[in-house]
Amino acid sequence: MRHAISLFVTILFFSTASASAQCSGEIERVKSQKVLHLDGGGVAVKSKLNINIDGYGKAYHLGNASAGALIHLCNAGSVYLPDGSSYSGSRDNATCTGAFMDDVRKIKAAGWNNPLVGAVRWFGILGTGSVTVGGHSVRGVVPVEQLDGSGFFVSPTSLEDPAFPANDQRRYINPLQIPAAVIPGSTNLERMGVKLGSFGVLVDTRRANAPAIPFVVGDNGPRIGEGTPALARLAAGAALKDPITRAERFSGIIDSKSALWVFFGKGQISRPFDANKAIADAADAFRQWGGDRRLRDCLANGAIPAN
């Protein structure tokens, strides 16, 4: 069903004025990306907007699309075989729907952790336990199903609410209801004030009068440039929707490096995770950071790296 979720957005009018001290700072590196470390804390960078559906209760199922899953299970793991070989489930389409699913069925029938049959290292879904297969120590090999008995696997996010058990999907943010961004873990972003649960804002600079979309930092990933379907839909001017169809799962992708990401480095999402509260708190953090006026300075700052 649809969820009535309120949203506070600011409509931006692009300024040609030179950037002021409100969006000044020093260029620093975060893994493979260069970012502008803003004076007073926070980060600005231009990048893509790819979709991250982690945290959604109907993301992964052994039955895949026939069971209502949005993402094929091959995107959630790598197989390790007794002969010492291994491969990513999403290596190519033939592997995804063929060898990977065949091996998963065999490994499941053997109890998930039999070194004579093989193992799957799950990374898109919650996995427990470990086993040594073909000389490889493999962790997270037993996939965890959700507490509700639906057969869907737990799709976790790095941002968690410990009040709920690990197999309860409410422990994690709902990416269809909460606009959220991904940041690289174990980097110097925390020194700049950017961490899980803090806030930021995104603008699609390709669009005139584009809405500024406040978001929560909700997950760790390889680089800045991923966000939830909720963030992508709002940035594209579409309404939030839960559930969505497989055809809608990637709506709002920005393939070019024209998404402006600004991370405030202040504030923290409250628990339990409530979509309306999270959106309102992110919007309030945007206003406290400087709102539309300060963001216009960032939009006019030609020194913000694009990568």
Side-chain angles (χ1 to χ4, degrees):
M1 65 177 181
R2 290 177 180 268
H3 293 255
I5 300 176
S6 61
L7 174 70
F8 298 87
V9 296
T10 300
I11 301 299
L12 298 178
F13 294 90
F14 290 93
S15 170
T16 57
S18 60
S20 76
Q22 292 193 81
C23 196
S24 61
E26 298 292 330
I27 303 296
E28 296 197 30
R29 184 171 290 277
V30 175
K31 289 194 173 181
S32 63
Q33 293 176 287
K34 290 182 179 179
V35 303
L36 180 66
H37 179 192
L38 298 173
D39 292 340
V43 163
V45 62
K46 290 181 180 178
S47 187
K48 298 181 179 182
L49 170 55
N50 291 317
I51 305 297
N52 184 317
I53 304 183
D54 290 351
Y56 187 53
K58 292 187 177 180
Y60 297 105
H61 192 286
L62 193 62
N64 293 308
S66 63
L70 286 185
I71 306 295
H72 197 284
L73 195 60
C74 72
N75 294 285
S78 295
V79 168
Y80 290 78
L81 298 172
D83 64 4
S85 64
S86 64
Y87 64 90
S88 170
S90 60
R91 182 171 60 189
D92 52 52
N93 288 338
T95 300
C96 175
T97 58
F100 178 80
M101 291 307 300
D102 289 342
D103 282 331
V104 165
R105 293 185 187 98
K106 294 173 186 176
I107 292 167
K108 178 180 184 294
W112 294 113
N113 57 1
N114 187 329
L116 299 179
V117 179
V120 183
R121 179 176 69 86
W122 299 107
F123 46 79
I125 61 181
L126 183 64
T128 62
S130 62
V131 64
T132 299
V133 178
H136 297 280
S137 178
V138 188
R139 297 179 178 274
V141 298
V142 180
V144 178
E145 291 189 9
Q146 292 177 28
L147 185 64
D148 62 7
S150 63
F152 281 91
F153 296 114
V154 173
S155 177
T157 58
S158 301
L159 183 62
E160 302 177 339
D161 183 352
F164 297 98
N167 60 347
D168 188 328
Q169 200 63 51
R170 291 175 296 175
R171 183 181 178 97
Y172 316 100
I173 65 168
N174 185 331
L176 270 60
Q177 297 182 16
I178 298 179
V182 172
I183 60 171
S186 303
T187 66
N188 59 354
L189 281 173
E190 189 163 348
R191 174 179 58 81
M192 304 178 198
V194 180
K195 57 185 179 180
L196 290 171
S198 61
F199 301 110
V201 68
L202 177 137
V203 181
D204 181 357
T205 63
R206 302 171 305 176
R207 300 174 58 201
N209 304 332
I213 310 300
F215 61 74
V216 177
V217 179
D219 208 355
N220 289 138
R223 57 189 285 119
I224 296 170
E226 291 186 15
T228 61
L231 179 60
R233 289 182 67 86
L234 293 173
L240 293 179
K241 187 179 180 183
D242 182 8
I244 58 175
T245 66
R246 288 175 63 84
E248 296 171 312
R249 57 188 168 163
F250 298 132
S251 295
I253 280 179
I254 301 175
D255 286 328
S256 61
K257 299 171 184 176
S258 54
L260 174 65
W261 301 82
V262 180
F263 298 84
F264 307 148
K266 292 183 180 179
Q268 187 68 205
I269 189 174
S270 59
R271 294 173 173 82
F273 302 136
D274 174 80
N276 283 315
K277 182 72 163 56
I279 289 171
D281 287 350
D284 186 56
F286 176 43
R287 287 189 289 269
Q288 292 184 36
W289 175 78
D292 177 33
R293 178 174 297 180
R294 188 175 182 187
L295 186 57
R296 276 200 296 263
D297 290 326
C298 289
L299 286 164
N301 188 343
I304 295 178
N307 48 73

